[in-house]
Amino acid sequence: SLESGAEPESLAANFTGEHRFVLDYLTEEVLDRQPPQRREFLLQTSILDRLSGPLCDAVTSRHDGQATLEAIEAANLFVVPLDDTRRWWRYHHLFADLLRVRLQHQGDHQVEELHRRAAEWYRTQDNIDRAIHHAWAAGDGPWAARLIEDNADALLLRREGATLQRWLDQLPAGLVNTRRLTLARARIAIYGGRLREAEELLDSADQTRGDLTHPVEEVDEDPSGPLDDLGPTTDLLRAYVAHMRGDAQTAIDIAARAATEVGEGSITGLIARWHLAAGPWLRGDVIEAEPALAANATDWRNVGQYDRAALSANRLGRVHRARGNLDAALESYEQILDQDAAHTGPDAPAAGVAHVGIAEVAYERDDLATALVHARLGIS
């Protein structure tokens, strides 16, 4: 192409495996010379951006993925290792382009089925982002929507609303306007401080309150998140809006009503009790708030919800500080690090709020060096 007068930079920028000379070379000199079984493996796994033995086994319905990848690498078949342990590879992008073009010629239905298998494997590995990618590639929008629904609460709890919003932006209106996803969008708006937008979404969810029809296929799930208790969750989100506006009594009244609709040990019930504990703090009644917040933090830890436990314990620390008890406040923040961040990880929000709390205690004690260290850790 360069000898024929092509512009080098333009050619390099637009060069893909679909260019005729590359396609001819890779087809005649590489792909067609492979044994049939290996050629089929190459074609089927070309839908993957990254390759591993177990993932390839899931996609090809075979059991020789690791050995085949190692053999392909030994044969210099345009496969690039991504780590030093030979667990993950990728195809050279030009070779992958060729394989995908050839696979596409074999029919869309096979490609869709391969993507479904990849999506299911990633789902079992809790890599929901890749699972959703392959569900979309399989043309299965309802499954992608269900995956988003099933994982929305966990993402929001980790403050990964931007990731959830990116997923939601891919959905057509008929799938994103389900009641569960409308509530998820309301939570994103609340956490972002967009209270008017949140109220509009909650109004929309309320319009379907008596109609639980759902365009996404239902599956049997353990009801462990707010999106499994739609009615009370809608109420509690309104309580959160009231809380954000400083209207403690409205938040308490709504939470008390929601608490009567759910079990005490349910996630939604614990959220209701958080509002009942935080409401008094919001209106300045720190004496009433202190034991209620302490109990709520303990309840969250008992059910393994350490992110939520950290939020309650953080509020408890603020109550202690409001009462002038800096030792108790410091203990609350250190408990978050020892008990909650130990489960959620040192870079999770639980650790962040704990470090900020410790910084605030140190600041009040005029220990500015310690305050600066923990403030920086909290920000990161």
Side-chain angles (χ1 to χ4, degrees):
S1 294
L2 289 172
E3 288 175 350
S4 67
E7 176 64 33
E9 291 184 2
S10 175
L11 178 67
N14 299 301
F15 202 61
T16 74
E18 294 187 39
H19 282 68
R20 179 170 59 85
F21 298 121
V22 178
L23 196 65
D24 289 346
Y25 170 78
L26 292 176
T27 300
E28 297 171 8
E29 300 296 328
V30 179
L31 187 59
D32 287 348
R33 294 190 177 190
Q34 299 306 310
Q37 193 172 23
R38 180 180 293 179
R39 184 165 60 245
E40 188 66 13
F41 178 93
L42 291 168
L43 291 172
Q44 290 182 337
T45 57
S46 68
I47 67 160
L48 303 170
D49 296 326
R50 301 172 71 220
L51 310 158
S52 74
L55 174 56
C56 290
D57 287 344
V59 169
T60 63
S61 298
R62 289 162 49 169
H63 304 285
D64 59 350
Q66 183 70 22
T68 302
L69 287 169
E70 291 175 359
I72 289 172
E73 182 188 10
N76 292 318
L77 280 178
F78 305 104
V79 66
V80 181
L82 299 177
D83 56 37
D84 295 331
T85 59
R86 294 304 192 267
R87 293 183 60 247
W88 288 95
W89 289 264
R90 68 168 175 84
Y91 291 126
H92 187 285
H93 68 277
L94 294 179
F95 192 47
D97 286 341
L98 159 73
L99 295 173
R100 289 166 188 155
V101 169
R102 178 69 73 88
L103 179 65
Q104 201 69 43
H105 290 163
Q106 294 184 2
D108 292 341
H109 293 303
Q110 180 185 5
V111 176
E112 291 173 358
E113 177 58 28
L114 294 171
H115 279 294
R116 285 191 184 93
R117 295 174 188 173
E120 177 58 23
W121 186 85
Y122 275 117
R123 186 193 68 79
T124 64
Q125 301 300 308
D126 291 328
N127 190 334
I128 305 304
D129 198 48
R130 299 307 301 165
I132 291 171
H133 167 80
H134 284 287
W136 270 116
D140 197 337
W143 187 19
R146 189 164 68 250
L147 287 168
I148 294 172
E149 285 187 351
D150 292 345
N151 293 275
D153 186 59
L155 275 177
L156 287 168
L157 192 55
R158 296 197 302 266
R159 296 299 187 262
E160 296 180 28
T163 298
L164 179 57
Q165 187 64 61
R166 173 168 56 81
W167 292 350
L168 293 171
D169 288 343
Q170 300 177 45
L171 292 177
L175 294 176
V176 78
N177 288 335
T178 67
R179 192 167 176 211
R180 283 179 173 83
L181 293 183
T182 298
L183 292 179
R185 291 159 60 203
R187 290 173 67 188
I188 293 174
I190 289 172
Y191 296 156
R194 304 187 303 277
L195 302 186
R196 185 181 299 276
E197 177 188 339
E199 288 174 321
E200 291 174 354
L201 288 166
L202 291 173
D203 289 342
S204 177
D206 269 337
Q207 291 174 6
T208 61
R209 191 156 189 152
D211 177 15
L212 295 181
T213 57
H214 199 274
V216 178
E217 175 188 351
E218 296 289 351
V219 293
D220 292 330
E221 296 284 348
D222 177 23
S224 58
L227 294 181
D228 296 300
D229 287 319
L230 299 182
T233 291
T234 306
D235 289 336
L236 291 173
L237 288 175
R238 290 194 183 280
Y240 204 100
V241 170
H243 185 100
M244 295 280 281
R245 294 191 189 282
D247 187 350
Q249 194 57 51
T250 297
I252 291 172
D253 291 343
I254 295 175
R257 183 173 67 247
T260 64
E261 302 178 32
V262 295
E264 286 190 4
S266 70
I267 298 300
T268 314
L270 291 176
I271 293 173
R273 291 211 293 281
W274 179 86
H275 281 288
L276 294 176
W281 172 85
L282 188 63
R283 69 186 180 206
D285 190 348
V286 291
I287 294 177
E288 180 183 344
E290 182 178 324
L293 285 168
N296 192 242
T298 298
D299 288 341
W300 283 124
R301 288 170 181 145
N302 288 339
V303 297
Q305 293 277 328
Y306 296 101
D307 283 294
R308 288 187 167 104
L311 296 178
S312 293
N314 176 52
R315 193 61 59 91
L316 177 62
R318 296 171 73 178
V319 166
H320 288 314
R321 285 169 47 216
R323 300 190 67 183
N325 193 342
L326 297 186
D327 286 338
L330 185 61
E331 183 179 349
S332 290
Y333 298 132
E334 289 176 341
Q335 277 188 332
I336 296 175
L337 288 178
D338 295 339
Q339 299 184 33
D340 305 319
H343 292 86
T344 62
D347 297 322
V353 298
H355 283 298
V356 170
I358 293 172
E360 290 173 325
V361 171
Y363 182 82
E364 290 191 40
R365 287 176 163 165
D366 203 28
D367 183 356
L368 301 187
T370 299
L372 184 59
V373 168
H374 285 282
R376 285 173 170 163
L377 288 170
I379 290 170
S380 68

